[in-house]
């Protein structure tokens, strides 16, 4: 753990929270991840070694506890009271980042696994027609992980990269940058469709209210500003 050698509370807090990946691990835990594999899905570029190390640091600091899962050979990570108290702080950092820290996204910042996990988390089953719904995403610019399916059955929303082998209700064809810009609110669904950057093939029962059931990033309405 890095040390600043100061008694200042900002310095002491940063000693725990300031290492690379730590805030993002906390983000995933605050959003409901409990398993190591779930954390890896939300942090696809972190190595298992670093993830283990950061989780141990958070345990040593009293922000996270690790529990054995009954009848399973695995563990769960749970936030303590101190960890849960970081929720409004992380949300405030997210809002600040949306407003002040975002410029043009470089290609290496585009992450289809992170995007699709986020999309899955924001699907609203209540806004979809009743029964099972299969949504297929095809990313035309990717060679790997270019097909994704979201299965909505009641309140269960599952994401997979393997064809479920059943009829698809909604086909969405686009490129990764376009979908990311739509997700963040930088590009409207209507404009993306009008310019053929986003193609949606589905019955009108799905397309007429796609903005409501697809959802977007929860801070999509926060627009970037230029410092200065």
């Amino acid at each position: 753990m890095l040390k600043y050698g100061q008694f200042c509370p900002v310095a002491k807090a940063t000693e725990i929270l300031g290492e690379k990946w730590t805030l993002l691990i906390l983000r995933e835990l605050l959003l409901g991840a409990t398993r190591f594999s779930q954390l890896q899905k939300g942090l696809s570029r972190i190595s298992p070694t670093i993830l283990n190390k950061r989780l141990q640091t958070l345990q040593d600091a009293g922000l996270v506890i690790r529990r054995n899962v009954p009848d399973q050979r695995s563990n769960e990570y749970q936030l303590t009271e101190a960890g849960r108290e970081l929720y409004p702080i992380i949300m405030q950092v997210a809002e600040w980042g949306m407003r002040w820290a975002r410029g043009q996204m470089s290609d290496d910042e585009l992450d289809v696994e992170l995007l699709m996990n986020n999309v899955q988390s924001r699907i609203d089953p209540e806004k979809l027609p009743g029964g099972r719904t299969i949504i297929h995403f095809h990313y035309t610019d990717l060679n790997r992980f270019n097909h994704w399916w979201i299965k909505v059955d009641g309140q269960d929303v599952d994401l997979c990269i393997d064809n479920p082998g059943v009829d698809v209700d909604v086909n969405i064809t686009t490129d990764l940058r376009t979908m990311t810009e739509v997700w963040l609110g930088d590009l409207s669904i209507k404009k993306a469709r009008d310019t053929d950057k986003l193609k949606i093939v589905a019955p009108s029962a799905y397309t007429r209210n796609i903005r409501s059931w697809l959802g977007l990033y929860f801070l999509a309405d926060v627009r970037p500003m230029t410092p200065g």
Side-chain angles (χ1 to χ4, degrees):
M1 183 189 299
L2 75 164
K3 293 287 186 179
Y4 289 105
Q6 293 187 347
F7 63 82
C8 166
V10 174
K12 299 303 292 181
T14 307
E15 287 178 356
I16 299 171
L17 304 176
E19 290 189 289
K20 185 177 180 179
W21 294 109
T22 297
L23 284 180
L24 300 188
I25 292 169
L26 289 166
R27 176 197 71 191
E28 294 302 308
L29 292 168
L30 287 164
L31 291 175
T34 58
R35 303 290 184 90
F36 195 90
S37 59
Q38 292 173 329
L39 291 167
Q40 286 183 304
K41 285 182 180 179
L43 305 164
S44 60
R45 301 185 185 186
I46 193 172
S47 71
T49 300
I50 294 296
L51 179 53
N52 267 315
K53 186 176 180 179
R54 296 293 183 267
L55 285 168
Q56 187 59 57
T57 297
L58 290 171
Q59 290 175 73
D60 294 342
L63 275 65
V64 171
I65 58 173
R66 185 176 66 177
R67 291 195 173 112
N68 292 326
V69 180
D71 302 322
Q72 296 186 33
R73 303 174 72 177
S74 60
N75 299 304
E76 284 187 345
Y77 296 90
Q78 301 284 348
L79 290 164
T80 64
E81 179 183 4
R84 293 191 299 272
E85 196 171 303
L86 287 166
Y87 182 83
I89 298 171
I90 300 293
M91 294 303 104
Q92 201 62 33
V93 169
E95 184 171 342
W96 184 90
M98 282 291 287
R99 185 174 288 114
W100 296 109
R102 292 202 303 131
Q104 178 65 32
M105 286 181 292
S106 61
D107 289 343
D108 64 356
E109 292 175 325
L110 300 173
D111 185 333
V112 69
E113 292 181 75
L114 175 63
L115 174 64
M116 291 308 302
N117 274 283
N118 275 273
V119 170
Q120 174 204 9
S121 72
R122 294 285 288 173
I123 294 287
D124 186 350
E126 298 294 336
K127 300 296 194 303
L128 287 164
R132 185 182 64 191
T133 296
I134 304 295
I135 307 162
H136 173 226
F137 290 78
H138 176 208
Y139 291 99
T140 57
D141 58 324
L142 300 182
N143 294 321
R144 297 178 64 248
F145 302 115
N146 54 343
H147 289 277
W148 296 78
W149 288 264
I150 294 178
K151 177 183 176 182
V152 184
D153 197 348
Q155 294 300 309
D156 295 328
V157 182
D158 298 315
L159 174 69
C160 62
I161 59 173
D162 296 317
N163 192 329
V166 294
D167 291 340
V168 171
D169 301 289
V170 182
N171 275 292
I172 298 176
T173 304
T174 186
D175 60 85
L176 181 55
R177 178 174 291 277
T178 294
M179 192 63 208
T180 303
E181 289 177 349
V182 167
W183 172 249
L184 290 172
D186 296 333
L187 177 65
S188 71
I189 293 175
K190 182 180 184 305
K191 186 173 182 179
R193 296 184 72 183
D194 288 347
T195 56
D196 286 331
K197 291 183 175 181
L198 179 72
K199 296 179 181 179
I200 302 173
V201 178
S204 60
Y206 295 97
T207 57
R208 63 171 171 252
N209 69 332
I210 187 171
R211 177 64 176 81
S212 62
W213 61 256
L214 180 62
L216 292 179
Y217 183 52
F218 74 104
L219 293 173
D221 292 333
V222 178
R223 297 293 81 220
M225 298 183 70
T226 303

